[in-house]
Structure formats: C-alpha cells, structure tokens
Amino acid sequence: MAVVAPLLLLFAQLLTVAFAAPVSQTLEVRQTDVSALSADDVAVYKPYTWYASTAACNPTNTSAWNCGTKCSANPSFIPIASGGDGGNVQYWFVGYDPSLQTIIVSYQGTDPSKITPLITVLRFALTPLRPSLFPGISSSLQIHDGFGEAHAASADAVLAAVRTGLSKYGVNKVTLTGHSLGGAIAIIATAHLAVQIPGVTLRTITYANPRLGNQAFVDFVNARSEMTRVNNLHDIVPILPGRFVGYAHTEGEVHIVKSGAWVSCPGQDNTNAECLIGYVPTLFNGNAGNHLGPYDGITFGGC
Ligand SMILES: *[C@@H]1O[C@H](CO)[C@@H](O)[C@H](O)[C@H]1NC(C)=O
C-alpha cells in the first residue's frame, strides 16, 4: 500500500487546482454510446494482458522467456531484447509473437513496493517532446516530464530492437503494451515509433495508465495507432493528472464494470456512467486497490 501515500499527496495538490478551475472546463456533454464487449472480444486482450504483466520480470528472465505462468501464457513468444533495472529505468522487453504476427513491446508498471518510479507520478508539468527522439515534431505536442524521462531512458534500445524484429521476422506490425506507468511509457513509445519508423502499423493496448500528455499529443497518437486502454472498476490512477491541468487521454477506453463486463467507451475521457470517469467522478470515489486488477483473471504486480 506504499502506493497510496504519494497518490494521496498528489490528490491534495490536484484538488487545490480543481476547485480553482473555471466551470466551463469541467462541464462535459454526457456520452451515451457505450456497449459491452462479447466474451470473444474480451478474450482477444488476454495475450496482451499477459505481456503487460510479464514486464514486471527482470531482463534475465524475459530474455530467456523463463518466468513461470507469465511467460508460459504466451508460449510461442520469441524474445529479441530486454532491459531496464526496475528502478531508474523500468524493465522492458521486445520480441516477436508468431501467432499474433506482431512485434511486442512491453514496459514494466509501477510496483507499489518501489518508490522511485512513483516519484515521476508526483510531477505533472507538461513539456515538449525531446527533439533528439522526435526530430522535427511540433513543440505544441507536450507530455508529462517524468513519463517523458522514463520513456527516454530506454527509447534508443527499444527502437533498435523493434527495427531488428521487423526486419528479421518480415512483419510490419508493432503492438505496445504496459500497465500503469508502463502504459504511459508505451503510449509515448507509440509516438516515438510512429516518428522513427514511417509506415509501420501500430497497435497500443494499455492498462490503468494515467493521463500523460496534452490534447495535441493525444491527437497525434490517436491518428497513428489503434488505441485501447483498459481500466478496472474505481481505479484512481486513470483520472490523474486532471484534465484541468491540461491533460487528455488517448481514445479507446474499455472499462471493467461491477458486473465483470468489459464496456467499450468510445472517444476520449468518455463521461458515461459505465466508464471510468462515471465511476470515479472525483478523487473521493476512487479506490487505489482496483489498480492492479484483476483484468479478466490477471492481476498485475510482481514477476
Ligand atoms: C527467473 O529465472 C531464474 C533462473 O534464470 C529462475 O530461477 C527463476 O525462477 C525465474 N523467475 C521466475 C519468476 O520464474
């Protein structure tokens, strides 16, 4: 529960801003076009949920694809490269899934027992993308500085591994995934691959990620990858940082509701009662205990 204290501190900061925000920014047109996924549609996410959970394993284990159930759940996976130290640099791995016919990129999430990665969550200043990684991109596209730093820490190594995989396995598709902070990094990495590998087909499936960029940034990503972000019940992390401090979510929310159904919430920040914002309209409705899952039986956490 080490995760709760820093998040509560953040809430206190954000509430101060929330009550000072102009009313016009908080009014929303209620969106009603939600629908429950079929059992078959939910099952499609399973391998990616496992891949997101596997990023909690260290590079020795993921590079050998030896990590118990988290690895054997995707038995045909072929590792290409793994890295990170689980502290300053989140673990990551890149490989090829011959049955899904895509390169997989996955990033470690926020481990509640480790404070270092969480510190980045406590900052919410928006900053332009790094010109060294995103040459020529408009400075109007802005992201959370700490998440940008977390992405940059492994960006070159991940890009090199993705290029290796695309050429070695003769595919043109990359699927990025991650839970929590790992999801935020996966979305920034989506923009990075879109800039660095023109013409690549991108798919991004994240879990419980916070907001990480401004409207111009998420517009850019939405236009370049098929986006899905899966949220569970009353998780508080996906409502942070607030829209009132300039943040927006990528499109394609899927919200796991009380009945256990997975509900598709089209658009960005869908405010329907069945979507996450409907469940967590304010920080007081949130439950940090829902952050790790379960997501169709898979709970995030250690390796
Ligand atoms: C990670 O790999 C080591 C050996 O390389 C093994 O002993 C250990 O059980 C693996 N971890 C998991 C969670 O399977």
Side-chain angles (χ1 to χ4, degrees), residues 10 13-14 17 120-126 144-145 241 245 247:
L10 177 61
Q13 293 168 357
L14 291 182
V17 185
T120 61
V121 178
L122 288 173
R123 296 180 286 166
F124 54 88
L126 284 160
H144 180 287
D145 189 34
V245 289
Y247 281 81

Side-chain angles (χ1 to χ4, degrees), residues 57-58 60-62 64 66-69 71 303:
C57 301
N58 69 44
T60 307
N61 288 79
T62 55
N66 170 29
C67 64
T69 310
C71 288
C303 176

